[in-house]
Coordinates of all heavy atoms in Angstrom, one line a residue:
M500 N -9.4 -17.5 4.9 CA -10.1 -16.2 4.3 C -10.7 -16.5 2.9 O -9.9 -16.9 2.0 CB -9.0 -15.1 4.2 CG -9.6 -13.8 3.8 SD -8.6 -12.4 4.2 CE -7.0 -12.8 3.6
N501 N -11.9 -16.5 2.7 CA -12.5 -16.7 1.4 C -12.4 -15.4 0.6 O -12.0 -14.3 1.1 CB -13.9 -17.2 1.5 CG -14.9 -16.2 2.1 OD1 -14.7 -15.0 2.0 ND2 -15.9 -16.7 2.9
T502 N -12.7 -15.5 -0.7 CA -12.5 -14.3 -1.6 C -13.4 -13.1 -1.2 O -13.0 -12.0 -1.4 CB -12.7 -14.7 -3.1 OG1 -14.0 -15.3 -3.2 CG2 -11.6 -15.6 -3.6
Q503 N -14.5 -13.4 -0.6 CA -15.4 -12.3 -0.3 C -14.8 -11.5 0.9 O -14.8 -10.3 0.9 CB -16.8 -12.8 0.1 CG -17.9 -11.7 0.0 CD -19.2 -12.2 0.6 OE1 -19.5 -13.3 0.7 NE2 -19.9 -11.2 1.1
Q504 N -14.3 -12.3 1.9 CA -13.6 -11.6 3.0 C -12.4 -10.9 2.5 O -12.1 -9.8 3.0 CB -13.2 -12.7 4.1 CG -14.4 -13.2 4.9 CD -13.9 -14.4 5.6 OE1 -13.2 -15.3 5.1 NE2 -14.3 -14.5 6.9
A505 N -11.7 -11.5 1.6 CA -10.5 -10.9 1.1 C -10.8 -9.5 0.4 O -10.2 -8.5 0.6 CB -9.8 -11.8 0.1
T506 N -11.9 -9.6 -0.4 CA -12.3 -8.4 -1.1 C -12.7 -7.3 -0.1 O -12.2 -6.1 -0.3 CB -13.6 -8.7 -2.0 OG1 -13.3 -9.8 -2.8 CG2 -13.9 -7.5 -2.9
E507 N -13.4 -7.6 0.9 CA -13.8 -6.6 1.9 C -12.5 -6.0 2.5 O -12.4 -4.8 2.7 CB -14.6 -7.3 3.1 CG -15.9 -7.8 2.6 CD -16.9 -6.7 2.4 OE1 -17.1 -5.9 3.2 OE2 -17.5 -6.7 1.3
R508 N -11.6 -6.9 2.9 CA -10.4 -6.4 3.6 C -9.6 -5.5 2.7 O -9.1 -4.5 3.1 CB -9.5 -7.6 4.1 CG -9.9 -8.0 5.5 CD -8.7 -8.7 6.1 NE -7.6 -7.8 6.4 CZ -6.4 -8.2 6.8 NH1 -6.2 -9.5 6.8 NH2 -5.4 -7.4 7.0
L509 N -9.5 -5.9 1.4 CA -8.7 -5.2 0.4 C -9.3 -3.8 0.2 O -8.6 -2.8 0.1 CB -8.5 -5.9 -0.9 CG -7.6 -7.2 -0.8 CD1 -7.9 -8.0 -2.0 CD2 -6.2 -6.7 -0.8
K510 N -10.6 -3.8 0.2 CA -11.3 -2.5 -0.1 C -11.2 -1.6 1.1 O -11.0 -0.4 1.0 CB -12.8 -2.7 -0.4 CG -12.9 -3.3 -1.8 CD -14.4 -3.3 -2.3 CE -14.4 -3.7 -3.8 NZ -15.7 -4.2 -4.1
T511 N -11.2 -2.2 2.3 CA -11.1 -1.4 3.5 C -9.7 -0.8 3.6 O -9.5 0.4 3.8 CB -11.3 -2.2 4.8 OG1 -12.5 -2.9 4.6 CG2 -11.3 -1.4 6.0
L512 N -8.7 -1.6 3.3 CA -7.3 -1.2 3.2 C -7.1 0.0 2.2 O -6.4 1.0 2.5 CB -6.4 -2.3 2.8 CG -5.8 -3.2 3.9 CD1 -5.1 -4.4 3.3 CD2 -4.9 -2.5 4.9
K513 N -7.8 -0.2 1.1 CA -7.6 0.8 0.0 C -8.2 2.1 0.5 O -7.7 3.2 0.2 CB -8.2 0.3 -1.3 CG -7.7 1.0 -2.5 CD -8.2 0.6 -3.8 CE -8.0 1.7 -4.8 NZ -8.6 1.4 -6.1
N514 N -9.4 2.0 1.1 CA -10.0 3.3 1.6 C -9.1 4.0 2.6 O -9.0 5.2 2.5 CB -11.4 2.9 2.3 CG -12.5 2.7 1.3 OD1 -12.3 3.2 0.1 ND2 -13.5 2.0 1.7
D515 N -8.5 3.2 3.5 CA -7.6 3.9 4.5 C -6.5 4.5 3.8 O -6.1 5.7 4.1 CB -7.1 2.8 5.4 CG -8.1 2.3 6.4 OD1 -9.2 2.9 6.5 OD2 -7.8 1.3 7.1
L516 N -5.9 3.8 2.8 CA -4.8 4.4 2.0 C -5.2 5.7 1.3 O -4.4 6.6 1.2 CB -4.2 3.4 1.1 CG -3.4 2.3 1.7 CD1 -3.1 1.1 0.7 CD2 -2.1 2.8 2.2
Q517 N -6.4 5.6 0.7 CA -6.9 6.8 0.0 C -7.1 8.0 0.9 O -6.7 9.1 0.6 CB -8.2 6.5 -0.7 CG -7.9 6.0 -2.2 CD -9.1 5.3 -2.8 OE1 -10.0 4.9 -2.1 NE2 -9.0 5.1 -4.1
R518 N -7.6 7.7 2.1 CA -7.7 8.8 3.1 C -6.4 9.4 3.5 O -6.2 10.6 3.6 CB -8.5 8.3 4.3 CG -9.9 8.7 4.5 CD -10.4 8.6 5.9 NE -10.2 7.3 6.4 CZ -11.1 6.3 6.2 NH1 -12.2 6.5 5.5 NH2 -10.9 5.1 6.7
R519 N -5.5 8.5 3.7 CA -4.1 8.9 4.1 C -3.5 9.7 3.0 O -2.8 10.7 3.2 CB -3.3 7.7 4.5 CG -2.1 8.0 5.4 CD -1.4 6.8 5.9 NE -0.7 6.1 4.9 CZ 0.0 5.0 5.1 NH1 0.0 4.4 6.3 NH2 0.7 4.5 4.1
A520 N -3.7 9.3 1.7 CA -3.1 10.0 0.6 C -3.7 11.4 0.5 O -2.9 12.3 0.2 CB -3.4 9.2 -0.7
S521 N -5.0 11.6 0.8 CA -5.5 12.9 0.7 C -5.0 13.8 1.8 O -4.7 15.0 1.6 CB -7.1 12.9 0.8 OG -7.6 11.7 0.3
A522 N -4.8 13.2 3.0 CA -4.2 13.9 4.1 C -2.8 14.4 3.8 O -2.4 15.6 4.0 CB -4.2 13.1 5.4
I523 N -2.1 13.5 3.1 CA -0.7 13.8 2.8 C -0.7 14.9 1.7 O 0.1 15.9 1.8 CB 0.1 12.6 2.2 CG1 0.3 11.6 3.4 CG2 1.4 12.9 1.6 CD1 0.9 10.2 3.0
E524 N -1.6 14.8 0.7 CA -1.7 15.8 -0.3 C -2.0 17.1 0.3 O -1.4 18.1 -0.1 CB -2.9 15.3 -1.2 CG -2.8 15.9 -2.6 CD -1.6 15.5 -3.4 OE1 -1.4 14.2 -3.5 OE2 -0.9 16.3 -3.9
A525 N -2.9 17.2 1.3 CA -3.2 18.5 1.9 C -2.0 19.0 2.6 O -1.8 20.3 2.5 CB -4.4 18.2 2.9
D526 N -1.3 18.2 3.3 CA -0.1 18.7 4.0 C 0.9 19.2 3.1 O 1.6 20.2 3.4 CB 0.5 17.5 4.8 CG -0.2 17.3 6.2 OD1 -1.0 18.1 6.5 OD2 0.2 16.4 6.9
L527 N 1.1 18.5 2.0 CA 2.1 18.9 1.0 C 1.8 20.2 0.3 O 2.6 20.9 -0.2 CB 2.3 17.8 0.0 CG 3.2 16.6 0.4 CD1 3.2 15.6 -0.7 CD2 4.6 17.1 0.7
S528 N 0.5 20.5 0.3 CA 0.1 21.7 -0.5 C 0.2 23.0 0.4 O 0.0 24.1 -0.1 CB -1.4 21.6 -1.0 OG -2.2 21.5 0.1
V529 N 0.5 22.8 1.7 CA 0.8 24.0 2.5 C 2.0 24.7 2.0 O 3.1 24.0 1.8 CB 0.9 23.6 4.0 CG1 1.3 24.8 4.9 CG2 -0.4 23.0 4.5
R530 N 2.0 26.0 1.9 CA 3.1 26.7 1.3 C 4.2 26.8 2.4 O 4.0 27.0 3.5 CB 2.7 28.1 0.9 CG 2.0 28.0 -0.5 CD 1.8 29.3 -1.0 NE 3.0 30.2 -1.1 CZ 3.0 31.4 -1.5 NH1 1.8 32.0 -1.8 NH2 4.1 32.1 -1.5
L531 N 5.4 26.6 1.9 CA 6.6 26.7 2.8 C 6.8 28.2 3.2 O 6.6 29.1 2.5 CB 7.8 26.3 2.0 CG 7.9 24.8 1.6 CD1 9.2 24.6 0.9 CD2 7.8 23.9 2.8
D532 N 7.2 28.3 4.5 CA 7.6 29.6 5.0 C 8.8 30.1 4.1 O 9.7 29.3 3.9 CB 8.0 29.6 6.4 CG 6.8 29.3 7.3 OD1 5.7 29.6 6.9 OD2 7.0 28.8 8.4
R533 N 8.8 31.3 3.8 CA 9.8 31.8 2.9 C 11.2 31.9 3.6 O 12.1 31.4 3.1 CB 9.5 33.3 2.4 CG 9.6 33.3 0.9 CD 8.9 34.6 0.4 NE 8.2 34.2 -0.8 CZ 8.8 33.9 -1.9 NH1 10.1 33.7 -2.0 NH2 8.1 33.6 -3.0
D534 N 11.2 32.5 4.7 CA 12.5 32.7 5.3 C 12.5 32.5 6.8 O 12.9 33.4 7.6 CB 13.2 34.0 4.9 CG 12.2 35.1 5.1 OD1 11.2 35.0 5.8 OD2 12.4 36.2 4.5
S535 N 11.8 31.5 7.3 CA 11.9 31.3 8.7 C 12.7 30.1 9.1 O 13.0 29.3 8.2 CB 10.4 31.1 9.2 OG 10.0 29.8 9.0
G536 N 13.0 29.9 10.3 CA 13.7 28.8 10.8 C 13.0 27.5 10.6 O 13.5 26.4 10.6
E537 N 11.7 27.6 10.4 CA 10.8 26.5 10.2 C 11.0 25.8 8.8 O 10.7 24.6 8.7 CB 9.3 26.9 10.2 CG 8.9 27.3 11.6 CD 8.6 26.1 12.5 OE1 7.6 25.4 12.2 OE2 9.4 25.8 13.4
R538 N 11.6 26.6 7.9 CA 11.6 26.1 6.5 C 12.3 24.8 6.4 O 11.8 23.9 5.7 CB 12.2 27.2 5.6 CG 12.0 26.9 4.2 CD 12.7 27.9 3.3 NE 12.8 27.3 2.0 CZ 11.9 27.5 1.0 NH1 10.9 28.4 1.2 NH2 12.0 26.9 -0.2
A539 N 13.5 24.6 7.0 CA 14.3 23.4 6.9 C 13.5 22.2 7.4 O 13.5 21.2 6.8 CB 15.6 23.5 7.7
T540 N 12.8 22.4 8.5 CA 12.0 21.3 9.1 C 10.8 21.0 8.1 O 10.5 19.8 7.9 CB 11.3 21.8 10.4 OG1 12.3 22.5 11.1 CG2 10.9 20.6 11.2
Q541 N 10.2 22.0 7.5 CA 9.1 21.7 6.6 C 9.6 20.9 5.4 O 9.0 20.0 4.9 CB 8.5 23.0 6.1 CG 7.6 23.7 7.1 CD 7.0 25.0 6.6 OE1 7.6 25.7 5.7 NE2 5.9 25.4 7.1
V542 N 10.8 21.3 4.9 CA 11.3 20.6 3.7 C 11.6 19.1 4.1 O 11.3 18.2 3.3 CB 12.6 21.3 3.2 CG1 13.4 20.4 2.2 CG2 12.3 22.7 2.6
E543 N 12.2 18.9 5.3 CA 12.4 17.6 5.7 C 11.1 16.8 5.9 O 11.0 15.6 5.4 CB 13.1 17.7 7.1 CG 14.3 16.8 7.2 CD 15.1 17.1 8.5 OE1 14.7 16.6 9.5 OE2 16.0 17.9 8.4
N544 N 10.1 17.4 6.5 CA 8.8 16.7 6.6 C 8.2 16.4 5.3 O 7.7 15.3 5.2 CB 7.8 17.7 7.4 CG 8.1 17.7 8.9 OD1 8.8 16.9 9.4 ND2 7.5 18.7 9.5
N545 N 8.3 17.3 4.4 CA 7.8 17.0 3.1 C 8.4 15.8 2.4 O 7.8 15.1 1.6 CB 7.9 18.3 2.1 CG 6.8 19.3 2.5 OD1 6.0 19.1 3.4 ND2 6.9 20.4 1.8
E546 N 9.7 15.7 2.6 CA 10.4 14.5 2.1 C 9.9 13.2 2.6 O 9.7 12.2 1.9 CB 11.9 14.6 2.3 CG 12.7 15.1 1.1 CD 14.0 15.7 1.4 OE1 14.7 14.9 2.2 OE2 14.4 16.7 0.9
V547 N 9.6 13.2 3.9 CA 9.1 12.1 4.6 C 7.7 11.8 4.0 O 7.3 10.6 3.7 CB 9.0 12.3 6.1 CG1 8.2 11.1 6.8 CG2 10.4 12.4 6.7
L548 N 6.9 12.9 3.9 CA 5.5 12.7 3.3 C 5.6 12.2 1.9 O 4.7 11.3 1.5 CB 4.8 14.1 3.3 CG 4.4 14.6 4.7 CD1 3.8 16.0 4.6 CD2 3.3 13.7 5.3
R549 N 6.5 12.6 1.1 CA 6.6 12.1 -0.3 C 6.9 10.6 -0.3 O 6.4 9.8 -1.1 CB 7.6 12.9 -1.1 CG 7.1 14.2 -1.5 CD 7.6 14.8 -2.7 NE 7.1 16.1 -2.9 CZ 7.6 17.2 -2.3 NH1 8.7 17.2 -1.6 NH2 7.0 18.4 -2.5
G550 N 7.8 10.2 0.7 CA 8.1 8.8 0.8 C 6.9 8.0 1.1 O 6.6 6.9 0.5
L551 N 6.1 8.5 2.1 CA 4.8 7.8 2.5 C 3.9 7.8 1.3 O 3.1 6.7 1.1 CB 4.2 8.5 3.6 CG 4.9 8.4 5.0 CD1 4.2 9.3 6.0 CD2 4.9 7.0 5.5
Q552 N 3.8 8.9 0.6 CA 2.9 8.9 -0.6 C 3.2 7.8 -1.6 O 2.4 7.2 -2.1 CB 3.1 10.3 -1.3 CG 2.0 10.8 -2.0 CD 2.2 12.3 -2.5 OE1 3.4 12.7 -2.7 NE2 1.2 13.0 -2.6
L553 N 4.6 7.7 -1.9 CA 5.0 6.7 -2.8 C 4.7 5.3 -2.4 O 4.2 4.5 -3.1 CB 6.5 6.8 -3.0 CG 7.1 6.3 -4.3 CD1 6.7 7.2 -5.4 CD2 8.7 6.4 -4.2
E554 N 5.0 5.1 -1.1 CA 4.7 3.8 -0.5 C 3.2 3.4 -0.6 O 2.8 2.3 -0.9 CB 5.0 3.9 1.0 CG 5.6 2.6 1.6 CD 6.1 2.9 3.0 OE1 5.2 2.9 3.9 OE2 7.3 3.2 3.2
G555 N 2.3 4.4 -0.3 CA 0.9 4.3 -0.3 C 0.4 4.0 -1.7 O -0.4 3.1 -1.9
A556 N 1.0 4.7 -2.7 CA 0.6 4.4 -4.1 C 1.0 3.0 -4.5 O 0.2 2.4 -5.2 CB 1.4 5.4 -5.0
E557 N 2.2 2.6 -4.1 CA 2.6 1.2 -4.4 C 1.6 0.2 -3.8 O 1.2 -0.8 -4.4 CB 4.0 0.9 -3.9 CG 5.0 1.4 -4.9 CD 6.4 1.4 -4.3 OE1 6.6 0.8 -3.2 OE2 7.3 2.0 -4.9
Q558 N 1.2 0.4 -2.6 CA 0.3 -0.5 -1.9 C -1.0 -0.5 -2.6 O -1.6 -1.6 -2.7 CB 0.1 -0.1 -0.4 CG 1.2 -0.8 0.5 CD 1.0 -0.3 1.9 OE1 0.1 0.4 2.3 NE2 2.0 -0.7 2.7
M559 N -1.5 0.7 -3.0 CA -2.8 0.7 -3.6 C -2.7 0.0 -5.0 O -3.7 -0.7 -5.3 CB -3.2 2.2 -3.9 CG -3.8 2.8 -2.6 SD -4.7 4.3 -2.9 CE -3.4 5.5 -2.6
A560 N -1.6 0.1 -5.7 CA -1.5 -0.7 -6.9 C -1.5 -2.2 -6.7 O -2.1 -3.0 -7.4 CB -0.2 -0.3 -7.6
A561 N -0.8 -2.6 -5.6 CA -0.8 -4.0 -5.2 C -2.2 -4.5 -4.8 O -2.6 -5.6 -5.2 CB 0.1 -4.2 -4.0
I562 N -3.0 -3.6 -4.2 CA -4.3 -4.0 -3.8 C -5.2 -4.1 -5.0 O -6.0 -5.1 -5.2 CB -4.9 -2.9 -2.8 CG1 -4.3 -3.1 -1.5 CG2 -6.4 -3.1 -2.7 CD1 -4.6 -1.9 -0.5
D563 N -5.1 -3.2 -6.0 CA -5.8 -3.3 -7.2 C -5.5 -4.6 -8.0 O -6.4 -5.3 -8.5 CB -5.5 -2.1 -8.2 CG -6.3 -0.8 -7.7 OD1 -7.3 -0.9 -7.0 OD2 -5.8 0.3 -8.1
A564 N -4.2 -4.9 -8.0 CA -3.8 -6.2 -8.7 C -4.4 -7.4 -7.9 O -4.9 -8.3 -8.6 CB -2.3 -6.3 -8.7
A565 N -4.5 -7.4 -6.6 CA -5.0 -8.4 -5.9 C -6.5 -8.6 -6.2 O -7.1 -9.7 -6.3 CB -4.8 -8.2 -4.4
L566 N -7.2 -7.4 -6.3 CA -8.7 -7.4 -6.6 C -8.9 -8.1 -7.9 O -9.9 -8.8 -8.2 CB -9.3 -6.0 -6.5 CG -9.4 -5.5 -5.1 CD1 -9.7 -4.0 -5.1 CD2 -10.5 -6.2 -4.3
L567 N -8.0 -7.8 -8.9 CA -8.1 -8.4 -10.2 C -7.9 -9.9 -10.2 O -8.6 -10.6 -10.8 CB -7.1 -7.7 -11.2 CG -7.5 -6.3 -11.7 CD1 -6.3 -5.8 -12.6 CD2 -8.8 -6.4 -12.5
R568 N -7.0 -10.3 -9.3 CA -6.7 -11.7 -9.2 C -7.9 -12.4 -8.6 O -8.2 -13.6 -8.9 CB -5.5 -12.0 -8.3 CG -4.2 -11.7 -9.1 CD -3.0 -12.3 -8.4 NE -2.8 -11.9 -7.0 CZ -2.2 -10.8 -6.6 NH1 -1.8 -9.9 -7.5 NH2 -2.0 -10.5 -5.4
I569 N -8.6 -11.7 -7.7 CA -9.9 -12.3 -7.2 C -10.9 -12.6 -8.3 O -11.5 -13.6 -8.4 CB -10.4 -11.4 -6.1 CG1 -9.5 -11.5 -4.8 CG2 -11.9 -11.9 -5.7 CD1 -10.0 -10.5 -3.7
Q570 N -11.0 -11.6 -9.2 CA -11.9 -11.7 -10.3 C -11.5 -12.8 -11.2 O -12.4 -13.5 -11.8 CB -12.0 -10.4 -11.1 CG -12.8 -9.3 -10.5 CD -12.7 -8.0 -11.3 OE1 -12.3 -8.0 -12.4 NE2 -13.2 -6.9 -10.6
D571 N -10.2 -13.0 -11.3 CA -9.7 -14.1 -12.2 C -9.6 -15.4 -11.5 O -9.1 -16.4 -12.0 CB -8.3 -13.8 -12.7 CG -8.3 -12.7 -13.7 OD1 -9.4 -12.4 -14.2 OD2 -7.2 -12.1 -14.0
C572 N -10.2 -15.5 -10.3 CA -10.1 -16.7 -9.4 C -8.7 -17.2 -9.2 O -8.4 -18.4 -9.1 CB -10.9 -17.8 -10.1 SG -12.6 -17.4 -10.3
A573 N -7.8 -16.2 -9.2 CA -6.4 -16.6 -9.0 C -5.8 -16.1 -7.7 O -4.6 -16.1 -7.4 CB -5.5 -16.0 -10.2
F574 N -6.8 -15.5 -6.9 CA -6.4 -15.0 -5.6 C -5.9 -16.1 -4.7 O -6.4 -17.2 -4.6 CB -7.5 -14.3 -4.9 CG -7.1 -13.7 -3.6 CD1 -6.4 -12.5 -3.6 CD2 -7.5 -14.2 -2.4 CE1 -6.0 -11.9 -2.4 CE2 -7.2 -13.6 -1.2 CZ -6.4 -12.5 -1.2
G575 N -4.8 -15.8 -3.9 CA -4.2 -16.8 -3.0 C -3.2 -17.7 -3.6 O -2.7 -18.6 -2.9
K576 N -3.0 -17.5 -4.9 CA -1.9 -18.3 -5.6 C -0.8 -17.4 -5.9 O -1.0 -16.3 -6.4 CB -2.5 -19.0 -6.9 CG -3.5 -20.1 -6.6 CD -3.6 -21.0 -7.8 CE -4.5 -22.2 -7.6 NZ -5.8 -21.8 -7.1
C577 N 0.4 -17.9 -5.7 CA 1.6 -17.1 -6.0 C 1.7 -16.9 -7.5 O 1.5 -17.8 -8.3 CB 2.8 -17.9 -5.5 SG 4.4 -17.1 -6.0
V578 N 1.9 -15.6 -7.9 CA 2.0 -15.3 -9.3 C 3.3 -15.8 -10.0 O 3.4 -15.8 -11.2 CB 1.8 -13.7 -9.6 CG1 0.5 -13.2 -9.1 CG2 3.0 -13.0 -9.0
K579 N 4.2 -16.1 -9.1 CA 5.5 -16.6 -9.7 C 5.6 -18.1 -9.8 O 5.9 -18.6 -10.9 CB 6.6 -16.1 -8.7 CG 8.0 -16.2 -9.4 CD 8.9 -15.2 -8.7 CE 10.4 -15.3 -9.3 NZ 11.1 -16.2 -8.4
C580 N 5.2 -18.8 -8.8 CA 5.4 -20.3 -8.9 C 4.0 -21.0 -8.9 O 4.0 -22.2 -9.2 CB 6.3 -20.8 -7.8 SG 5.4 -20.7 -6.2
G581 N 2.9 -20.3 -8.6 CA 1.6 -20.9 -8.7 C 1.2 -21.7 -7.5 O 0.1 -22.2 -7.5
S582 N 2.0 -21.8 -6.5 CA 1.6 -22.5 -5.3 C 0.8 -21.7 -4.4 O 0.7 -20.4 -4.6 CB 2.8 -23.1 -4.6 OG 3.6 -22.0 -4.2
E583 N 0.1 -22.3 -3.5 CA -0.9 -21.6 -2.6 C -0.1 -20.7 -1.7 O 1.0 -21.1 -1.2 CB -1.6 -22.6 -1.8 CG -2.5 -23.5 -2.6 CD -3.9 -22.8 -2.9 OE1 -4.3 -22.0 -2.2 OE2 -4.4 -23.2 -4.0
I584 N -0.6 -19.5 -1.5 CA 0.0 -18.6 -0.5 C -0.6 -19.0 0.9 O -1.7 -19.1 1.0 CB -0.2 -17.1 -0.8 CG1 0.3 -16.8 -2.2 CG2 0.4 -16.2 0.3 CD1 0.0 -15.4 -2.7
G585 N 0.3 -19.1 1.9 CA -0.2 -19.5 3.2 C -1.2 -18.6 3.8 O -1.2 -17.4 3.5
A586 N -2.2 -19.2 4.5 CA -3.3 -18.4 5.0 C -2.8 -17.3 6.0 O -3.4 -16.2 5.9 CB -4.3 -19.3 5.7
E587 N -1.8 -17.6 6.8 CA -1.3 -16.7 7.7 C -0.7 -15.5 7.0 O -0.9 -14.3 7.4 CB -0.2 -17.3 8.5 CG -0.7 -17.7 9.9 CD 0.4 -18.4 10.7 OE1 1.5 -17.8 10.9 OE2 0.2 -19.6 11.1
R588 N 0.0 -15.8 5.9 CA 0.7 -14.7 5.1 C -0.4 -13.8 4.5 O -0.3 -12.6 4.5 CB 1.6 -15.4 4.0 CG 2.3 -14.4 3.2 CD 3.4 -15.0 2.4 NE 3.8 -14.1 1.3 CZ 4.6 -13.0 1.5 NH1 5.0 -12.7 2.7 NH2 4.9 -12.2 0.5
L589 N -1.5 -14.5 3.9 CA -2.5 -13.7 3.3 C -3.3 -12.8 4.3 O -3.7 -11.8 4.0 CB -3.5 -14.7 2.6 CG -3.2 -15.1 1.2 CD1 -4.4 -16.0 0.7 CD2 -3.0 -13.9 0.3
H590 N -3.3 -13.4 5.5 CA -4.0 -12.6 6.5 C -3.2 -11.4 6.9 O -3.8 -10.3 7.1 CB -4.2 -13.5 7.8 CG -5.2 -12.9 8.7 ND1 -6.6 -12.9 8.5 CD2 -5.0 -12.2 9.9 CE1 -7.2 -12.3 9.5 NE2 -6.3 -11.9 10.3
A591 N -1.9 -11.5 7.0 CA -1.0 -10.4 7.3 C -0.9 -9.4 6.2 O -1.0 -8.2 6.4 CB 0.3 -10.9 7.7
V592 N -0.8 -9.9 5.0 CA -0.6 -9.0 3.8 C -1.5 -9.5 2.7 O -1.1 -10.3 1.8 CB 0.8 -9.0 3.3 CG1 1.1 -7.9 2.3 CG2 1.8 -9.1 4.4
P593 N -2.8 -9.2 2.8 CA -3.8 -9.8 1.8 C -3.6 -9.5 0.4 O -4.1 -10.1 -0.5 CB -5.2 -9.2 2.3 CG -4.8 -8.0 3.2 CD -3.5 -8.3 3.7
Y594 N -2.7 -8.4 0.1 CA -2.5 -8.1 -1.3 C -1.2 -8.7 -1.9 O -0.8 -8.3 -3.0 CB -2.5 -6.6 -1.5 CG -1.7 -5.8 -0.5 CD1 -0.3 -5.6 -0.7 CD2 -2.2 -5.3 0.7 CE1 0.5 -5.0 0.2 CE2 -1.5 -4.6 1.6 CZ -0.1 -4.4 1.3 OH 0.6 -3.8 2.3
T595 N -0.5 -9.5 -1.1 CA 0.7 -10.0 -1.6 C 0.5 -10.9 -2.8 O -0.4 -11.8 -2.8 CB 1.5 -10.8 -0.5 OG1 2.8 -11.2 -1.0 CG2 0.7 -12.0 0.0
P596 N 1.3 -10.7 -3.9 CA 1.2 -11.6 -5.0 C 2.1 -12.9 -4.9 O 2.1 -13.7 -5.8 CB 1.7 -10.8 -6.2 CG 2.6 -9.7 -5.6 CD 2.3 -9.6 -4.1
F597 N 2.9 -12.9 -3.9 CA 4.0 -14.0 -3.8 C 3.8 -14.9 -2.6 O 3.4 -14.4 -1.5 CB 5.4 -13.4 -3.8 CG 5.7 -12.5 -4.9 CD1 6.0 -11.2 -4.7 CD2 5.7 -13.0 -6.2 CE1 6.3 -10.4 -5.8 CE2 6.0 -12.2 -7.3 CZ 6.3 -10.9 -7.1
C598 N 4.1 -16.1 -2.7 CA 4.2 -17.0 -1.6 C 5.5 -16.6 -0.8 O 6.3 -15.9 -1.3 CB 4.3 -18.5 -2.0 SG 5.8 -19.0 -2.8
I599 N 5.6 -17.1 0.4 CA 6.7 -16.8 1.2 C 8.1 -17.1 0.6 O 9.0 -16.3 0.7 CB 6.6 -17.3 2.7 CG1 7.6 -16.7 3.6 CG2 6.7 -18.9 2.7 CD1 7.1 -15.5 4.3
D600 N 8.2 -18.2 -0.1 CA 9.4 -18.6 -0.7 C 9.9 -17.7 -1.8 O 11.0 -17.2 -1.9 CB 9.3 -20.0 -1.2 CG 9.2 -21.1 -0.1 OD1 9.7 -20.8 1.0 OD2 8.7 -22.2 -0.4
C601 N 8.9 -17.3 -2.6 CA 9.2 -16.4 -3.8 C 9.5 -15.0 -3.2 O 10.4 -14.3 -3.7 CB 8.1 -16.4 -4.7 SG 7.9 -17.9 -5.7
A602 N 8.8 -14.6 -2.2 CA 9.0 -13.3 -1.6 C 10.4 -13.2 -1.1 O 11.1 -12.2 -1.3 CB 8.0 -13.0 -0.5
R603 N 10.9 -14.3 -0.5 CA 12.2 -14.3 0.1 C 13.3 -14.3 -1.0 O 14.3 -13.6 -1.0 CB 12.4 -15.6 0.9 CG 11.8 -15.4 2.3 CD 12.5 -16.4 3.3 NE 11.8 -16.4 4.6 CZ 11.1 -17.4 5.0 NH1 11.0 -18.5 4.3 NH2 10.5 -17.3 6.2
S604 N 13.0 -15.0 -2.1 CA 14.0 -15.2 -3.2 C 14.1 -13.9 -4.0 O 15.0 -13.7 -4.7 CB 13.7 -16.3 -4.1 OG 12.5 -16.0 -4.9
L605 N 13.1 -13.0 -3.9 CA 13.1 -11.7 -4.6 C 13.9 -10.7 -3.9 O 14.2 -9.6 -4.4 CB 11.7 -11.2 -4.8 CG 10.9 -11.9 -5.8 CD1 9.4 -11.5 -5.8 CD2 11.4 -11.7 -7.3
R606 N 14.2 -10.9 -2.6 CA 15.0 -9.9 -1.9 C 16.4 -9.9 -2.2 O 17.0 -10.9 -2.6 CB 14.7 -10.1 -0.4 CG 13.5 -9.4 0.0 CD 13.3 -9.4 1.5 NE 11.8 -9.1 1.7 CZ 11.2 -9.6 2.7 NH1 11.7 -10.3 3.6 NH2 9.9 -9.3 2.8
Ligands
ZN576 ZN1 5.9 -18.7 -5.1

């Protein structure tokens, strides 16, 4: 994957995440039923949605960071040890800042 392809993929991913974020935002802005049996379910759903929202925000931040690394010609290199990130790994997670070894050691 060259940097142009990577940029395209990252931007597509980010667009998807932004769309999903707006959908979540819309769902969360629906007012809760005051005193119906639905309320508990709604509260539960909202918690799930907030989790997804957080996850999406983290992914978007990782994508922005990856786009910056492309500008710095540092894309595809592990930010921790500086070695090349495997092509397969980049293909699966194009915004990852770590090579597989460092990703494992961070867990
Ligand atoms: Zn590394």
